[in-house]
Amino acid sequence: MAVFGTDGAMVSPHMNSRLRSALTVAVAVALAVSVQGCSLGGAKNAATGKKSAKASQQAGAKRAGKPVDESGGYAALSDWEAFERTRRSLGAEIDRRAKALRGGAVGNLAAELASLRMSAKAPVLIDKGSLDGAVELLERAVSMYGGNGYAYLFLAYVHHVEGRPDQAAGFLSSARRYLPADKGVRGETEGLARSIRASGPSAGGSAPAPG
Amino acid sequence: MRKKSGRRSRAFSLARLTVSVALLVVPPTLAFAALRTWLAYEDIEGTLLAKFEGERWEVPAKIFSDSFAIYPGLRVDTDAFRERLERLDYQRVADSPSRRGSYRFTKKPHTLELWLHAFQYPSSEEPGRKLRMDLDDLGRVIKIVEVAGGDEVEDVSLEPALLSGVATRPVEERRVLRLDEFPRVLVRSVLAIEDRRFFDHNGIDVRSLARAVAVNVVSGEVRQGGSTLTQQLMKNFFLTDERSFNRKMREAAMAVVAEQRFSKGEILENYLNDIWLGQSGARAIHGMGEAARFYFGRDVADLSVAQMATLAGIIRAPSFYSPHRHPERAQSRRDLVLAELFETGDIDQAQYETALHEPMQTASPDIGGMRAPYFVDYVARELGKRYPRRVLESEGYRVFTTLDPEMQAIADSVVADNVREMENDIADAVAKAGQPLQAALIALEPRTGKVRAMVGGRDYGMSQFNRAIDMRRQPGSTFKPIVMLAALGSEHVGARHFKPSTTVIDERIQWEWKGQVWSPRNYEGEFYGPVTVREALEHSLNSATASIARDVGVQPIRDLAVRLGMTSDLGVYPSIVLGGQAVPLLDMAKVFSVLAAGGMRATPLSVRRVVSGDGQLVEGNDVEIRRVVPATDAYLVTHLMEGVMERGTGATARRKGFKHPAAGKTGTSNDYKDAWFVGFTPDLLVAVWVGFDEAASMDRAGSEAALPIWTDFMRQALADHPHTSFDIPSGIRLVDIDKKTGGIARPDCPKQVREAYLEGEQPDEYCSEHGGFWH
């Protein structure tokens, strides 16, 4: 009677393992001798052994997540006060829409709110070093609400950190177009624009331009 | 006596000779046999090791769609949302969902209870949470609560749908699981019906073999195999289906060595992952993990006892007992397994009774089959440029794309329906052309470039040529917005600076170019005299547009088209301004998406992430955008194209009930060989082409052939989406003007139009003809 072990593996309590081994070897030898030409000739799937290393993966790899110590964390990218202002501004936008939605307003508010909430999670992911996760989240946020300037701003940050000034400039351009024109947030975008300019757009790239 | 003695002597000599010969021959023979045995054992062991410890199976890459976000405010109590769930194999249940992959709506209180499937995303994991969503009267989500723990969550995702595997030949589909991931009852079911003494034999079960021989001898035919699980696994791994003594002996030898070399658990795990359990076209369904999805749309962990018994039951003959094709046979086999389980005490009386009464409900047989075939081909081709075919067909990659399965389903059906209907309408043209009418559609998210739907032809079975990507046809008037963008843009190229209200003359023009004269005509053959730039575009006037283009210059227009994303090798000659050079549908979609995205060009994106079989990120493609024209310029042209929808050649869309703010442009090539419509809302751009593969007249313009497809698609795709207006960028002034004079409109002006201007270029004088008191 077979039973499950605690780790889920199957064990047979009945068979004496030495006896089993001896018997099986004997039977195996006898059978093998009786079979003429017992070899891999009849194999349906020839065993190929281990495959070569994952060179193909590496070749195809465009990006993997960067660890936190390389990114320096979101807050390290920008002036802390400016960042705090941006975060507060985003929080206020979220509150405003949540209130309007509770008040029965319709339109695209629900998608906008969900999109802004997603954006608010991104800096946390960036700080944890999950740049890839942050990008996925932010791109989804943009898909849900194309006027989400915060998502564009955070995307600009990530691309800047990852050394893609062209991309950073593109997102910053959209961020400038959609972000509220208050002083705090403008300080943030201008700071990032300076930073991107300092890192220099790559070949064929364009400097950040107003939307 | 002597005779006797002589015979004895001869006999003795013979015996001595025999012994001598035996002594001479037998030891080397035995040694040789032992050597061969040892070599054979080594050979088998090596083969087994390579298989068990190396790559056991070739797992083709799987292509997934995008996921779908659910959040407060989203309308979910709709047919479209239910269809979305059902496409993902969620089953509607009457009572509160009791397992992953099921859902129910309740009316009082209005809720959606949804138990998500578990899913491994590229950078996160959905464990398969049970959720309750409170809904308002309109079916919109008020809040989402995780049932276990009662935490409120801001948003959740419905997992991506499996579109297809990547394969150029028949493939084996499987989901490889660890032994401890298979439910105990499933494992016990398999053992109960296939090899009850699995833990008591050493690869060969002499008792069941003897029983099988007896049964076969009595019946005079092969009725029972008597093979153990280990023997079956050896056969599946290494041998053919040949019915011969030789093959059977090889199988037995290998089984014995395998049992010696590997644990029962390892053998069982391999068996459960490898066993063939059905066929769907060229796809062979292998392993319990894949079969659970294929037959029941569930993960193995979510199978009911009855479903586990069914899967175990069909091992013997998956086609004969197929739950899809022969549910009654599958059910009787299932009941047999259930009886065995009950007898062995693996299930109790209550479980047994419940399972026996469970109806045989299966998932749609096409689950996991090829959806969005043109898109899948496109993705596979793109991947093929970066990865060797062997890698794509064997290493179990998972490819996450941008496709929206719901939009794709809509696109498939509206293209097929409209083309069929149109073929009936233009039966003479079809007969004359001697070929079927074709169509293509591509839907993009303009701000991100994500490809959301793609149809490369009316019927993939009929023709695999992808007209959305690989075909080049003359775009006709869909090129005109590029001319207008060059003319109206803030770069002020050309001899004259145009505004939307600038008057041009629609008359026969003679455009001299490199010693030749080009003189385009309007479709109706008439000329309309003085018209505004807006009217020229709204009514797609060729002569007026050519006149504007001549002032702007061909080269700047051509350069702008390239900047907007046109990859075709555009020539520099006048007729390009009226779409005289063939281009791909995707190029036109890219160009228009710049306008929709306020001047940002997004690189079309179809593959988001590629993840290896062991969960490592292999490739990540992000949204790539860059500004190519100022937002103000893009808006000016978008505003004109909104007029096309309201008053111009696209107005049929409004009459057919599509009310979202939208902009678009029709296109018809010479002799009605190509019909185009490219149009967009701020969130979705769709380009449509209709025509014959071998260019021939179809007697239908873009507004008659392509626009209906576009309209039907947009109406359905955006049915539950709120209306979103185009953003008006700073630097734009909207002014109501008198249509006749172009002055600022007074209340008495009979025909007014709201016009967009670059800041500082708006008219500063009021209408001089109307106004009464104001005049």
Side-chain angles (χ1 to χ4, degrees):
Chain A
M1 177 72 191
V3 294
F4 279 87
T6 49
D7 59 353
M10 299 262 191
V11 292
S12 172
H14 293 311
M15 183 63 74
N16 178 307
S17 62
R18 282 190 183 172
L19 176 64
R20 193 176 67 166
S21 300
L23 280 173
T24 48
V25 170
V27 174
V29 169
L31 283 169
V33 170
S34 70
V35 178
Q36 291 293 310
C38 182
S39 69
L40 295 179
K44 189 160 61 175
N45 301 316
T48 51
K50 285 213 169 193
K51 285 194 311 295
S52 59
K54 305 282 181 187
S56 56
Q57 294 179 9
Q58 300 301 328
K62 277 196 169 180
R63 192 194 69 217
K66 284 193 174 184
V68 67
D69 56 347
E70 278 185 48
S71 77
Y74 178 81
L77 300 175
S78 128
D79 167 55
W80 177 253
E81 281 183 20
F83 167 63
E84 277 299 298
R85 284 196 295 270
T86 304
R87 207 170 58 83
R88 277 200 298 275
S89 168
L90 173 56
E93 292 274 344
I94 289 171
D95 290 345
R96 190 171 63 77
R97 281 175 174 79
K99 198 173 168 187
L101 205 59
R102 279 196 299 273
V106 284
N108 201 35
L109 267 181
E112 291 177 13
L113 179 60
S115 171
L116 290 168
R117 281 177 168 160
M118 280 184 185
S119 310
K121 293 176 193 164
V124 180
L125 286 173
I126 296 169
D127 274 344
K128 285 181 181 168
S130 177
L131 298 188
D132 199 57
V135 168
E136 258 191 89
L137 194 70
L138 291 166
E139 289 181 356
R140 181 167 294 279
V142 169
S143 289
M144 288 170 69
Y145 170 37
N148 182 348
Y150 300 93
Y152 291 115
L153 179 64
F154 297 150
L155 280 166
Y157 268 114
V158 176
H159 286 289
H160 174 53
V161 167
E162 293 202 307
R164 289 196 293 268
D166 293 352
Q167 276 308 297
F171 284 111
L172 189 62
S173 177
S174 287
R176 280 171 153 165
R177 180 169 174 207
Y178 295 113
L179 279 170
D182 69 70
K183 237 182 177 176
V185 178
R186 214 166 49 228
E188 180 85 343
T189 56
E190 282 165 10
L192 182 58
R194 277 195 299 276
S195 190
I196 293 170
R197 272 197 297 272
S199 68
S202 61
S206 55
Chain B
M1 194 65 185
R2 281 184 64 184
K3 267 187 180 175
K4 234 180 181 178
S5 167
R7 275 203 302 272
R8 200 179 292 149
S9 169
R10 278 200 300 276
F12 180 73
S13 302
L14 192 63
R16 214 168 51 175
L17 181 67
T18 306
V19 169
S20 304
V21 169
L23 283 173
L24 208 63
V25 172
V26 171
T29 305
L30 281 176
F32 180 69
L35 180 67
R36 278 202 61 177
T37 301
W38 180 72
L39 287 173
Y41 183 87
E42 287 285 301
D43 197 9
I44 294 173
E45 190 181 40
T47 306
L48 291 172
L49 276 172
K51 189 73 180 177
F52 275 68
E53 293 174 2
E55 293 293 330
R56 278 168 283 188
W57 299 288
E58 291 187 349
V59 182
K62 286 189 163 74
I63 300 178
F64 291 90
S65 73
D66 200 358
S67 56
F68 179 78
I70 305 173
Y71 48 84
L74 183 77
R75 237 184 122 200
V76 292
D77 196 355
T78 62
D79 289 342
F81 187 77
R82 281 190 198 89
E83 280 170 25
R84 192 179 279 279
L85 288 175
E86 274 149 32
R87 272 183 232 290
L88 291 168
D89 305 337
Y90 282 88
Q91 287 169 357
R92 192 169 187 174
V93 290
D95 299 321
S96 184
S98 57
R99 61 171 60 93
R100 286 194 280 261
S102 53
Y103 74 97
R104 75 160 177 172
F105 284 97
T106 62
K107 283 294 168 199
K108 287 181 181 173
H110 199 184
T111 66
L112 165 62
E113 292 172 17
L114 174 65
W115 199 330
L116 293 170
H117 286 129
F119 193 84
Q120 184 63 53
Y121 289 88
S123 55
S124 62
E125 184 181 1
E126 168 55 58
R129 291 169 291 171
K130 186 177 180 182
L131 306 164
R132 194 192 74 241
M133 300 177 206
D134 295 342
L135 311 180
D136 66 12
D137 293 344
L138 297 173
R140 292 176 305 202
V141 176
I142 298 169
K143 69 174 177 180
I144 306 170
V145 176
E146 200 176 329
V147 172
D151 293 337
E152 192 170 342
V153 287
E154 286 181 352
D155 57 81
V156 291
S157 288
L158 283 181
E159 72 275 12
L162 176 63
L163 300 176
S164 175
V166 175
T168 55
R169 56 188 165 77
V171 292
E172 295 180 356
E173 297 274 4
R174 60 165 58 76
R175 290 162 196 252
V176 180
L177 302 171
R178 294 189 312 275
L179 183 59
D180 60 4
E181 292 176 302
F182 292 103
R184 182 181 182 281
V185 172
L186 177 62
V187 178
R188 298 302 308 166
S189 299
V190 172
L191 295 179
I193 199 73
E194 287 296 317
D195 190 354
R196 289 182 76 164
R197 290 175 18 81
F198 177 70
F199 288 101
D200 299 326
H201 62 64
N202 299 299
I204 307 166
D205 187 357
V206 179
R207 251 193 274 174
S208 70
L209 201 61
R211 192 175 55 240
V213 169
V215 168
N216 294 344
V217 166
V218 169
S219 66
E221 58 182 335
V222 180
R223 282 194 171 178
Q224 283 190 12
S227 293
T228 62
L229 287 193
T230 319
Q231 284 174 280
Q232 291 181 44
L233 181 64
M234 294 304 107
K235 191 192 88 177
N236 294 344
F237 266 0
F238 305 107
L239 304 169
T240 64
D241 287 332
E242 174 200 0
R243 285 193 164 187
S244 71
F245 179 74
N246 200 26
R247 200 273 287 158
K248 200 75 187 163
M249 293 311 288
R250 273 190 215 146
E251 178 187 294
M254 289 183 132
V256 171
V257 178
E259 292 266 350
Q260 174 63 23
R261 189 66 187 76
F262 303 102
S263 71
K264 288 283 185 184
E266 285 173 298
I267 290 167
L268 196 49
E269 179 180 293
N270 278 284
Y271 179 86
L272 293 169
N273 281 312
D274 187 72
I275 189 72
W276 175 65
L277 287 162
Q279 196 75 26
S280 173
R283 298 165 55 226
I285 308 303
H286 281 260
M288 290 293 171
E290 188 68 26
R293 297 293 296 185
F294 179 67
Y295 289 113
F296 301 113
R298 293 181 180 180
D299 292 330
V300 284
D302 300 322
L303 292 174
S304 66
V305 169
Q307 288 167 333
M308 293 185 220
T310 306
L311 291 184
I314 66 173
I315 292 174
R316 186 170 172 191
S319 295
F320 186 79
Y321 294 115
S322 167
H324 285 144
R325 290 198 301 277
H326 307 295
E328 68 299 330
R329 289 180 193 166
Q331 185 161 339
S332 72
R333 186 80 179 148
R334 175 198 80 179
D335 294 348
L336 185 68
V337 177
L338 289 172
E340 294 275 340
L341 287 173
F342 181 52
E343 189 189 315
T344 53
D346 287 306
I347 55 174
D348 60 25
Q349 179 84 33
Q351 285 176 302
Y352 179 54
E353 294 291 335
T354 307
L356 271 184
H357 290 100
E358 187 175 306
M360 181 65 66
Q361 274 186 330
T362 57
S364 164
D366 70 347
I367 292 304
M370 195 130 164
R371 293 162 172 173
Y374 291 104
F375 178 77
V376 166
D377 274 0
Y378 171 61
V379 166
R381 198 189 333 162
E382 291 300 305
L383 293 172
K385 292 174 187 170
R386 303 195 282 275
Y387 304 94
R389 201 170 75 182
R390 182 188 59 76
V391 170
L392 294 175
E393 292 189 346
S394 65
E395 294 198 9
Y397 278 21
R398 298 197 307 150
V399 181
F400 293 89
T401 71
T402 56
L403 194 93
D404 180 329
E406 195 62 33
M407 280 194 197
Q408 181 64 42
I410 294 169
D412 286 334
S413 84
V414 299
V415 167
D417 292 350
N418 274 281
V419 170
R420 199 169 43 242
E421 204 172 295
M422 210 177 307
E423 255 189 354
N424 291 333
D425 290 350
I426 56 164
D428 289 347
V430 173
K432 198 174 167 189
Q435 52 185 316
L437 191 64
Q438 283 291 353
L441 178 152
I442 189 160
L444 294 174
E445 219 173 70
R447 289 188 179 103
T448 61
K450 290 178 184 173
V451 177
R452 307 300 270 166
M454 181 186 286
V455 180
R458 63 185 296 181
D459 179 353
Y460 184 78
M462 180 196 287
S463 161
Q464 291 82 51
F465 178 61
N466 191 339
R467 292 156 193 84
I469 302 294
D470 301 320
M471 181 195 66
R472 285 165 183 255
R473 298 299 281 259
Q474 289 186 5
S477 297
T478 48
F479 198 92
K480 285 174 183 165
I482 303 173
V483 176
M484 298 309 179
L485 183 62
L488 300 172
S490 49
E491 290 178 16
H492 294 217
V493 294
R496 183 180 174 195
H497 182 57
F498 292 90
K499 301 175 197 173
S501 54
T502 302
T503 300
V504 293
I505 309 299
D506 184 58
E507 61 183 359
R508 180 182 296 278
I509 71 160
Q510 306 278 319
W511 188 339
E512 288 185 24
W513 182 264
K514 295 186 177 173
Q516 291 190 316
V517 175
W518 182 57
S519 181
R521 288 205 247 167
N522 288 330
Y523 280 108
E524 298 83 359
E526 294 175 23
F527 297 103
Y528 294 87
V531 294
T532 62
V533 168
R534 169 175 291 283
E535 286 167 333
L537 189 71
E538 285 181 356
H539 300 290
S540 202
L541 303 178
N542 286 343
S543 294
T545 306
S547 166
I548 295 167
R550 187 172 54 180
D551 285 345
V552 173
V554 178
Q555 187 70 50
I557 293 170
R558 187 256 180 207
D559 292 347
L560 178 60
V562 172
R563 187 157 29 121
L564 294 174
M566 203 162 267
T567 51
S568 318
D569 190 16
L570 274 183
V572 184
Y573 47 86
S575 66
I576 67 161
V577 306
L578 296 184
Q581 181 170 336
V583 296
L585 184 67
L586 179 61
D587 271 15
M588 291 314 294
K590 280 155 64 179
V591 165
F592 276 61
S593 75
V594 173
L595 302 174
M600 302 299 294
R601 192 181 77 201
T603 306
L605 183 61
S606 52
V607 175
R608 290 276 291 112
R609 299 284 184 269
V610 180
V611 177
S612 65
D614 56 1
Q616 298 300 308
L617 181 67
V618 177
E619 176 180 328
N621 297 306
D622 298 334
V623 170
E624 289 183 6
I625 62 171
R626 65 185 301 171
R627 177 161 298 288
V628 289
V629 293
T632 47
D633 298 7
Y635 182 78
L636 287 182
V637 179
T638 299
H639 195 242
L640 291 185
M641 289 165 64
E642 286 186 272
V644 172
M645 304 301 294
E646 302 306 323
R647 297 171 291 272
T649 51
T652 314
R654 298 303 189 210
R655 289 197 286 278
K656 285 184 76 177
F658 179 64
K659 301 297 181 194
H660 285 250
K665 185 69 193 81
T666 49
T668 311
S669 69
N670 284 342
D671 301 327
Y672 300 97
K673 287 174 183 164
D674 302 277
W676 296 69
F677 191 82
V678 188
F680 53 88
T681 67
D683 301 316
L684 185 64
L685 178 139
V686 178
V688 178
W689 168 88
V690 180
F692 293 107
D693 282 347
E694 299 289 328
S697 175
M698 59 182 155
D699 281 338
R700 289 291 184 276
S703 59
E704 299 163 303
L707 181 58
I709 293 176
W710 185 91
T711 307
D712 285 354
F713 176 83
M714 293 299 253
R715 264 176 41 200
Q716 294 179 44
L718 300 179
D720 294 314
H721 288 240
H723 293 201
T724 313
S725 299
F726 293 100
D727 288 309
I728 304 167
S730 59
I732 286 288
R733 288 291 297 272
L734 291 176
V735 182
D736 290 334
I737 61 165
D738 176 66
K739 208 171 170 189
K740 188 178 174 194
T741 64
I744 301 169
R746 298 175 186 277
D748 291 339
C749 289
K751 287 185 177 175
Q752 301 181 14
V753 63
R754 178 159 294 180
E755 204 53 271
Y757 296 93
L758 294 173
E759 182 81 51
E761 293 188 358
Q762 68 273 21
D764 50 10
E765 291 185 3
Y766 281 86
C767 167
S768 55
E769 279 195 20
H770 313 99
F773 171 81
W774 297 96
H775 187 52

